[in-house]
Structures are given as C-alpha cells and as structure tokens.
Amino acid sequence: MTGRLIIASNRTASPGEPKVGGLAVAIWEALSERGGGVWFGWSGETLERETRGVRLFAEDNVDFALADLTEAEYEGYYLGYANRALWPVFHYRVDLAHFDETEFATYEEVNRRFGRLLAQFTRPDDTVWVHDYHFLLMGQEMRTSGWEGPMGFFLHIPFPAPEIFTSLPQHRRIARALCAFDLIGFQTERDRANFERYLVEIDQASSSSDGTISAFGRTLRTKAFPIGIDADEIVNLANSEEGRSAASRLGRIIDQRALVLGVDRMDYSKGLPQRMHAFGRMLDENEHIRGRVSFLQIAPPSREDVDTYQDLRIELDQVTGRINGDHGDLDWVPIRYLARGYPRGMLSGLYRLARVGLVTPLYDGMNLVAKEFVAAQDPEDPGTLVLSEFAGAAEQLQGAIFVNPHDIAATADAIQQGINMPLEERIERWKSMDAAVRAQSIAWWRRAFLDELESLGKPAPDTEVES
Ligand code: ADQ
C-alpha cells in the first residue's frame, strides 16, 4: 500500500513528547513506517461550550489532528455512554450499567462530529484504522461522509455474549454501524465468535468459516488479533538503573519474603477486592506462610468522576485495612497497597523481583500486565503467573496457573501453589509463556491487522450502509 495511514483513537500520544507505552509506540511506529499519516483523537481538553475545531501539530511525517470536547460532551459521551454503559456491559457488568438516552445521543453526536472531521483528512488512497469502544459508530459516520476506502476497527475490550450485548438498548444501532468497517479485529477468538453469533442469531446475518460476515447490506471480515508487547523493551527496562533500583528499594523492605505482585488500573473489571480476599484466605489457611510473604498491589485510580470507581476505592481501602489489621504483626504488613502509578521502568524491575504475579481480572480484553510480567522474569529464576481464565491473555499464556477469580478458595490455593512451585516447573512454564509473548508481539499485531485490512482491497462502490 502506498497511501497514508489514518488512525483514530479517543486519546492520542502527546505530540512532541516521547511515546510511552506499548500501544502508543505501536501506533506511532505504524504511522512513521508508512512515511506519513494522521493520528486523530480527543485533545484531552474540555471547553465550556464551543469547541475549536481541529488543531494540527506535525511531528516528523505524522500529523496529529486533535479535537476538543465540550463539558456536556465529556459528560454524556465519555463519562456517560462510553464508561457508564459500554464499559460495564462489555465487561459483563450489566448490574453496573446506566442506560440513558440523552447520553447515547451525545455519544452519537460526538461520533458524528469526529467522523466528519476525520473524513476531511482522508485522501482516496489512504487506509483508516479506528480504535476502541469510544468510536463504535464512527465507521458509519465516515461512510455517510463519503469515505469509501479501506477502514478497519480494533476493539481493545471484550465483545460480550449476545445475551449480554442485547441489554444495551441501542445494540442494533451499534452493530449496524460496526458493519460499515471492512475488518473488525478482536482480542480473542471468544470475542470474535460472540460478535458473529450476535449478527447471525439476532440480525440473520450469514457467515463463513474464514470470518467473513454479510450483514446490514455489507460484507466484512472479522478476526482475532491478540495485542502484544515489545518483550525486549521490558527486559531492558527491568535491567535498567530505574528497574534495578526500584527492585532493591522494595527488596530492602520485604527482606527475604516472597513478593506477590499485582499491577492494575483501579477498575472493577480487574477483580481487586476478590484478589485481596483470596490473599487473606491464603493467610488464614496457611499459618506457616504468615510473615514469609508480602503482597504489593499497585493500583492508580482511574475515571474518578464515575461513582462506581469511587465506591471501589472505598472498598479497597476497607478490605486492605481489615486484612492487615487481622494478620499483620509488629514487623510485617501483609498487603502494601499503593493507589498511584509508577513509571514503566520501575514496574518492570518490580515484576522481575516478584515470585508470583497476580493477574485476576473478572473480565479483560487482553491484559498487557500479564505479558509484561512474563517478559520481565529472570530466565534462570522466573516467577509464576496466576492468571484469570477470563483475561484475553489466557488464550496464549498456557503456562500460567489459571483461576476463576470469583472462586476465592481456588485463588487462595493458586497463590500458595505459585509461592511454592519448584524451580524446574517454574522454568518450564515460563519458557512456554515467554515464547507465546514473543511470537505475537506488538509489532506482529499492528502488521497482522494492517496486512489483513489491506489484503481485502477497496470495497465495491455499491456497498452503501443504511442509516
Ligand atoms: P487496560 O484496561 O488499561 O487496557 P492493561 O492491558 O492491563 O489494561 O494495561 C495497559 C497498560 O497500562 C500496560 O502497559 C500497563 O503496564 C500499564 N499499567 C497498568 N497498571 C498500571 C499501574 N498501576 N501503573 C502504571 N502503569 C500501569 C485496555 C483493555 C485491556 C487491553 C489493553 C490494550 O482493558 O484488556 O489489554 O487495553 O489493548
């Protein structure tokens, strides 16, 4: 392909600043590699009433095109429909979902406005790649604005079973809009199959074994592209001055105790209270382990303007206090819980120090922490990974100790198994996981998606989408 790559994601990297984090680097490299491109998204700024259109910044051969949101848009589109309806439903938490027609109307309006803005930047030979649940309607808006070229979408979060997806009052509207894309990428085969089943069972679509689906008057391809990491980057970070000094700082505090480590955004999908209860239960049941193990949970608060997230913070404070009060001693605090983020170098050093990585989301699209934990290990003395069977990463990391995170007793056993696992078994399991992490890296992910999209060619001109 010769044309430019046009990427749309709700948040972009900051123009002119180092690109930090796997996804930001992957997108940046994809754009740079093409010799030119546009990265379009929300500027991160909210203005009281009027927005300022799109602001352009050039960095090397990439143009950043950033649009503001009004405060009402931020409330209805971002905090509202995206994070109070789509996020919980797509993570199987219909009980936490808040369905509000006016929030959906704002979500639709922002997708429309952003779709039109983005369509202005396209040239006929470009390729468009839209990311994530903030922009589910954008493809259709782009088609309505006249864009006929190749256009793909990648969903970073799970796609739920049709029985759950249909709880969204606007499920059909969303599915129809998604079918405006030529290729939809999912994290796992499980997600892809859920989407296909929804279209076939609810909307009488027809599908074939290669993931091609015909629905709403369009033919599109669906496929799983599990997102990955740059394993060598994590190895270098773990061995960097920053990584080593973080490990030695913590090492001094925990002394000779085995480190159990959790690193997550503070989100109810990550299963944090359940994980702490499981750790408490493991201490209850294993008197000999008390005083010999230390659990560090790093969880910076996110989306603090959404009530459910404030409730989670309160719950975590209580659970940790309770377990530490019950089990702690003069010279031992069982759980260290830090409600703040740390630089990637420090995290990588801590991953390497840990005996057990605890990654137990109740549901998760992929979970890159699981992969980063694996990559950071010392090949001669690797830690073990306790992994939720409901994380997308479970499809690839077969060497993990799998748990159902709702099963507190089984998770407690798994933590204990991780602490006590003999070196030989740890090495064997780690090798298989490291090979999987390296086989489907972040570079593989972006190339695989774009190769697939571009192999589909331009859609026929008569493939209009009904609105
Ligand atoms: P997230 O829900 O944010 O991402 P995850 O994939 O675990 O979840 O983390 C993304 C990145 O944030 C990782 O690189 C990690 O190092 C970093 N991070 C997490 N916790 C941190 C902490 N406490 N301090 C500092 N950094 C931290 C969404 C989906 C996932 C999917 C990703 C990518 O929910 O399922 O894997 O997108 O597609």
Side-chain angles (χ1 to χ4, degrees):
M1 270 277 163
T2 50
R4 301 170 312 163
L5 179 61
I6 312 286
I7 300 235
S9 57
N10 177 61
R11 295 305 298 268
T12 69
S14 303
E17 286 179 20
K19 308 297 170 277
V20 183
L23 182 60
V25 171
I27 291 180
W28 175 254
E29 285 176 354
L31 289 163
S32 313
E33 208 170 74
R34 295 287 281 239
V38 178
W39 194 348
F40 171 78
W42 175 35
S43 64
E45 287 185 40
T46 50
L47 306 180
E48 212 170 309
R49 269 187 293 276
E50 295 287 304
T51 55
R52 293 174 285 193
V54 177
R55 278 171 299 141
L56 293 173
F57 304 85
E59 185 181 344
D60 299 339
N61 50 13
V62 175
D63 292 319
F64 284 84
L66 305 181
D68 307 314
L69 293 175
T70 64
E71 281 171 10
E73 285 174 338
Y74 175 70
E75 181 58 43
Y77 147 79
Y78 180 77
L79 294 179
Y81 199 73
N83 284 317
R84 279 197 286 253
L86 294 172
W87 179 273
V89 169
F90 280 44
H91 287 86
Y92 288 76
R93 292 301 301 270
V94 181
D95 59 316
L96 296 180
H98 173 77
F99 301 120
D100 181 322
E101 275 172 55
T102 57
E103 289 182 349
F104 177 73
T106 311
Y107 178 87
E108 191 175 38
E109 185 44 44
V110 170
N111 271 255
R112 179 165 300 139
R113 186 162 74 79
F114 278 23
R116 284 182 187 158
L117 286 170
L118 185 56
Q120 290 173 12
F121 290 101
T122 51
R123 298 180 198 147
D125 59 350
D126 287 344
T127 295
V128 177
W129 187 6
V130 178
H131 289 258
D132 225 0
Y133 66 104
H134 311 92
F135 291 155
L136 297 177
L137 309 179
M138 198 178 275
Q140 188 175 26
E141 298 302 338
M142 293 282 291
R143 296 287 186 221
T144 308
S145 301
W147 173 245
E148 292 180 350
M151 182 165 59
F153 177 79
F154 186 79
L155 183 66
H156 289 260
I157 64 175
F159 192 89
E163 293 76 8
I164 300 290
F165 182 58
T166 46
S167 66
L168 276 170
Q170 300 81 12
H171 63 88
R172 190 165 265 120
R173 167 81 177 87
I174 291 169
R176 180 191 294 274
L178 280 173
C179 291
F181 291 102
D182 302 310
L183 171 66
I184 302 184
F186 297 92
Q187 297 277 26
T188 65
E189 176 53 28
R190 169 195 72 192
D191 302 313
R192 193 208 66 77
N194 282 339
F195 181 64
E196 176 176 318
R197 191 155 73 83
Y198 168 84
L199 289 177
V200 170
E201 289 178 9
I202 312 289
D203 291 313
Q204 285 82 47
S206 62
S207 67
S208 59
S209 57
D210 66 352
T212 302
I213 303 179
S214 298
F216 299 111
R218 287 202 37 101
T219 297
L220 61 145
R221 182 72 61 89
T222 59
K223 196 167 174 179
F225 299 92
I227 196 167
I229 60 162
D230 178 347
D232 287 332
E233 182 207 8
I234 299 291
V235 172
N236 292 338
L237 285 169
N239 287 317
S240 68
E241 178 53 36
E242 192 181 34
R244 285 173 183 272
S245 94
S248 79
R249 257 174 79 191
L250 182 65
R252 279 197 296 276
I253 302 289
I254 62 169
D255 202 5
Q256 296 301 314
R257 298 182 182 102
L259 174 64
V260 176
L261 178 67
V263 174
D264 307 75
R265 249 182 340 97
M266 195 183 290
D267 191 290
Y268 51 83
S269 65
K270 304 291 183 184
L272 296 168
Q274 290 84 348
R275 185 183 304 178
M276 288 181 176
H277 284 302
F279 186 76
R281 177 154 179 156
M282 195 230 15
L283 296 177
D284 282 339
E285 290 176 351
N286 296 281
E287 213 166 310
H288 66 283
I289 284 187
R290 285 184 214 153
R292 291 180 40 223
V293 59
S294 186
F295 175 21
L296 171 64
Q297 176 64 55
I298 296 177
S302 64
R303 303 175 195 166
E304 289 169 275
D305 296 337
V306 179
D307 291 350
T308 330
Y309 288 75
Q310 294 165 9
D311 297 345
L312 175 64
R313 172 73 203 251
I314 294 167
E315 187 181 359
L316 285 176
D317 291 348
Q318 285 171 348
V319 177
T320 318
R322 179 70 199 259
I323 294 173
N324 283 340
D326 283 350
H327 294 283
D329 211 333
L330 294 176
D331 56 356
W332 176 54
V333 181
I335 303 182
R336 311 179 81 81
Y337 148 59
L338 304 174
R340 50 169 288 190
Y342 284 89
R344 292 164 60 71
M346 289 181 77
L347 289 182
S348 304
L350 299 180
Y351 292 145
R352 194 174 175 95
L353 180 68
R355 169 55 68 88
V356 178
L358 259 189
V359 182
T360 56
L362 305 180
Y363 233 93
D364 213 331
M366 176 53 60
N367 197 299
L368 293 178
V369 170
K371 295 187 173 182
E372 292 167 357
F373 177 83
V374 168
Q377 296 309 303
D378 174 356
E380 285 169 14
D381 185 18
T384 52
L385 178 65
V386 172
L387 181 61
S388 164
E389 59 188 274
F390 305 122
E395 277 189 10
Q396 297 163 294
L397 302 181
Q398 290 296 313
I401 304 172
F402 288 109
V403 290
N404 170 351
H406 300 280
D407 188 339
I408 304 294
T411 308
D413 287 348
I415 298 171
Q416 197 209 358
Q417 189 192 339
I419 294 170
N420 295 328
M421 189 179 287
L423 178 63
E424 210 173 304
E425 185 179 351
R426 279 192 273 134
I427 291 178
E428 196 182 316
R429 285 174 179 259
W430 174 77
K431 274 188 181 160
S432 89
M433 293 193 286
D434 193 56
V437 167
R438 286 173 180 277
Q440 290 179 315
S441 66
I442 187 77
W444 167 86
W445 171 78
R446 69 176 164 83
R447 290 199 186 113
F449 185 94
L450 288 171
D451 286 353
E452 182 80 27
L453 177 58
E454 291 172 348
S455 76
L456 299 175
K458 297 204 173 201
D462 61 345
T463 51
E464 286 256 308
V465 183
E466 307 155 40
S467 58

